[in-house]
């Protein structure tokens, strides 16, 4: 468990979360790179194949103990200290201001706990809210993959963004938290 100072707590997903994740996959495909329609059997097979050495799917809870979204860590490269990230806010919590805090908590977890040097993400051109959240959290636009994803008769661009540890450590929020965003961690004072 990772308790962020912004009020979001991250937990590893469990098998009991699969119905919620299935619903998310089936309704949010418009803003994702993959179109995945799944049933219960598909969802269980996916869950069983998750490899914790290179993938983490974390559910995000608010201060009311509601699951408001997820933060996805994929393709972890432990040698080069980087991974691909994505986040989602569940339909009933969209428009309530959770996108930025969920993404902040996930990115801060990546640098603070996993000791990453770089975190990457991609956002489709039709997902303006996710793009704005990524920029707000500190990601830098690095390029565009033109017309690379097909959705309902049109090809969409995919914006490539990244954030380096050196950039993250200079962010106002990280400095406001004195470099420790994890509410549940108290550094030893050397005694």
């Amino acid at each position: 468990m990772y308790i962020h100072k912004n009020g979001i707590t991250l937990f590893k997903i469990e098998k009991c979360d699969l119905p919620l994740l299935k619903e998310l996959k089936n309704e949010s495909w418009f803003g994702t790179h993959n179109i995945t329609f799944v049933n219960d059997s598909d969802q269980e097979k996916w869950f069983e194949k998750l490899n914790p050495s290179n993938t983490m799917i974390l559910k995000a809870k608010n201060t009311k103990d509601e699951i408001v979204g997820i933060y996805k860590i994929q393709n972890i490269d432990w040698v080069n200290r980087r991974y691909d990230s994505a986040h989602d806010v569940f339909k009933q919590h969209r428009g309530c201001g959770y996108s930025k805090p969920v993404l902040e908590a996930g990115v801060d977890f990546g640098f603070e706990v996993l000791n990453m040097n770089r975190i990457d993400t991609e956002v489709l051109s039709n997902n303006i809210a996710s793009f704005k959240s990524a920029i707000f959290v500190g990601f830098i636009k690095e390029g565009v993959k033109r017309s690379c994803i097909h959705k309902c008769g049109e090809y969409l661009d995919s914006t490539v963004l990244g954030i380096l540890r050196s950039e993250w450590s200079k962010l106002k929020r990280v400095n406001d938290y004195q470099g420790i965003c994890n509410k549940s961690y108290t550094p030893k004072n050397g005694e």
Side-chain angles (χ1 to χ4, degrees):
M1 171 172 50
Y2 177 81
I3 304 170
H4 196 280
K5 291 178 180 175
N6 71 4
I8 295 295
T9 301
L10 300 176
F11 299 84
K12 186 175 178 182
I13 62 162
E14 301 174 83
K15 200 168 190 172
C16 65
D17 297 315
L18 292 181
L20 191 58
L21 295 176
K22 182 180 86 169
E23 181 183 331
L24 177 66
K25 284 180 184 176
N26 285 334
E27 67 84 15
S28 67
W29 61 271
F30 70 91
T32 63
H33 285 72
N34 298 315
I35 296 176
T36 307
F37 293 102
V38 295
N39 59 29
D40 292 337
S41 176
D42 296 334
Q43 193 71 0
E44 285 188 32
K45 288 175 190 172
W46 167 82
F47 182 76
E48 296 302 326
K49 288 182 183 179
L50 286 178
N51 180 348
S53 69
N54 70 5
T55 302
M56 290 183 203
I57 311 294
L58 305 172
K59 57 187 169 185
K61 288 187 177 182
N62 64 11
T63 55
K64 298 175 189 170
D65 207 34
E66 301 168 312
I67 301 172
V68 297
I70 59 172
Y71 181 74
K72 298 176 267 189
I73 298 171
Q74 299 170 311
N75 305 315
I76 300 171
D77 180 343
W78 293 107
V79 173
N80 295 304
R81 316 266 352 132
R82 64 150 308 276
Y83 65 75
D84 297 323
S85 73
H87 79 288
D88 291 294
V89 173
F90 291 109
K91 188 175 185 175
Q92 65 271 29
H93 296 288
R94 290 186 196 137
C96 299
Y98 287 115
S99 182
K100 292 172 186 173
V102 167
L103 187 53
E104 275 180 351
V107 166
D108 296 350
F109 172 82
F111 288 121
E112 195 172 30
V113 176
L114 299 181
N115 193 30
M116 291 290 128
N117 183 57
R118 176 185 176 88
I119 300 173
D120 296 311
T121 194
E122 287 191 39
V123 179
L124 292 182
S125 56
N126 69 342
N127 197 342
I128 309 241
S130 283
F131 178 78
K132 287 180 179 180
S133 292
I135 295 296
F136 178 85
V137 168
F139 281 92
I140 308 252
K141 180 179 174 182
E142 296 181 335
V144 175
K145 294 180 181 177
R146 297 169 298 129
S147 297
C148 74
I149 302 294
H150 182 263
K151 298 278 181 167
C152 297
E154 70 175 321
Y155 284 92
L156 301 171
D157 294 345
S158 180
T159 303
V160 178
L161 302 108
I163 183 171
L164 303 176
R165 180 189 246 337
S166 58
E167 296 161 343
W168 170 80
S169 66
K170 295 175 185 169
L171 293 173
K172 181 179 180 334
R173 78 167 185 278
V174 175
N175 286 306
D176 287 349
Y177 295 141
Q178 296 159 344
I180 301 170
C181 305
N182 185 353
K183 188 176 180 180
S184 58
Y185 174 75
T186 305
K188 302 224 180 230
N189 61 10
E191 293 178 9

